[in-house]
Amino acid sequence: MTDRYCVFGNPVAHSRSPAIHAMFAAQCRQDLSYEAILAPLDGFAAALAGFAAAGGKGANVTLPFKEEAFALCTRRSARAERAGAVNTLAFTGSWIFGDNTDGAGLVQDIEVNLQFPLAGRRLLLLGAGGAARGVIAPLLERRPAGLFIANRTAEKAEALAGQFCELAAVDAGNLGKIAGRTFDVVINATSASLSGATLPLPAGIFAPGGLAYDMMYGKGETPFMALAREQGAGHLADGLGMLVEQAAEAFLVWRGVRPDSAPVLAEMRERLAA
Ligand SMILES: NC(=O)c1ccc[n+]([C@@H]2O[C@H](COP(=O)([O-])OP(=O)(O)OC[C@H]3O[C@@H](n4cnc5c(N)ncnc54)[C@H](OP(=O)(O)O)[C@@H]3O)[C@@H](O)[C@H]2O)c1
């Protein structure tokens, strides 16, 4: 019987996960289906229970349900515990296992796909929401020279820094506090690009030859990438690679095999450009 998987979100119609997992399944010769399910904002738990009861084997979770999914799990991976949010669920009997593959996906994209090692680099993470929270520990595990978390609302960045400071030195503040500093890797984990807004970033924060990475992706350059290019960032990347890599990691959790992400990323890039 075909195993069923899905992604829950609200909204979710735009999700590219069904296309990505269909390609992974074909490549790995796995008999599975993967659909996008719109869960009501106040009905995620019921939608999840219904899917599992109908024989669903696992699910991805996207905005705005990652924290609620975390709370519903009966078991969690260490990286999900650290993140306080889950994007991957696996159902086994009465167990709901929760994992967070966002950070692993980001690191894989930066270090393997983009060939940009993080060890010894000065990192700046913009944003302090769910996406930022999920990637902090995986970034720190790469042993950067330091990490600064900057957010429009400084208190949220400071709270995150406090939660992760036992792993490494983590600095935090509002966007103004990064003035006068320079970073080798600047990661945009804010949702500013979604609304087309340009972040009010001080000049001079991008080290020559450094990487500016926007978790968002789209047909062309995002507003953050355009700003980074104007300010002299040497390398620009959007979050399509992170999306494909976090999906490959979820596929590994569910099926015990990690698909080759390169051809899938290339195909998704072509579809995005069309
Ligand atoms: N590529 C991938 O695989 C992937 C995976 C996960 C997420 N993402 C992307 O990551 C982004 C963030 O997602 P999320 O789940 O973390 O969202 P979230 O929890 O809603 O957090 C949003 C963050 O953006 C900041 N922000 C929003 N509008 C802003 C503006 N105009 N100026 C400055 N800061 C602003 C917020 O600051 P305040 O705290 O001050 O409100 C907050 O830190 C989204 O674009 C999402 O699509 C991509």
Side-chain angles (χ1 to χ4, degrees), residues 63 66 102 127-132 151-153 156 175 188-192 194-195 197 199-200 215-217 239-240 242-244 246:
L63 276 173
K66 289 184 184 181
D102 279 339
N151 192 43
R152 178 173 63 181
T153 311
K156 284 200 217 164
L175 299 175
N188 179 26
T190 75
S191 49
L194 277 178
S195 56
L199 290 168
M215 284 194 190
M216 214 194 93
Y217 50 85
L240 189 66
M242 173 180 174
L243 180 77
V244 172
Q246 64 76 28

Side-chain angles (χ1 to χ4, degrees), residues 35-59:
E35 65 203 283
I37 297 182
L38 179 72
L41 289 175
D42 59 354
F44 170 64
L48 188 66
F51 184 72
K57 296 282 182 198

Side-chain angles (χ1 to χ4, degrees), residues 154-176:
E155 295 75 26
K156 284 200 217 164
E158 286 156 7
L160 272 188
Q163 282 173 41
F164 289 92
C165 62
E166 88 278 8
L167 296 178
V170 184
D171 228 337
N174 63 24
L175 299 175

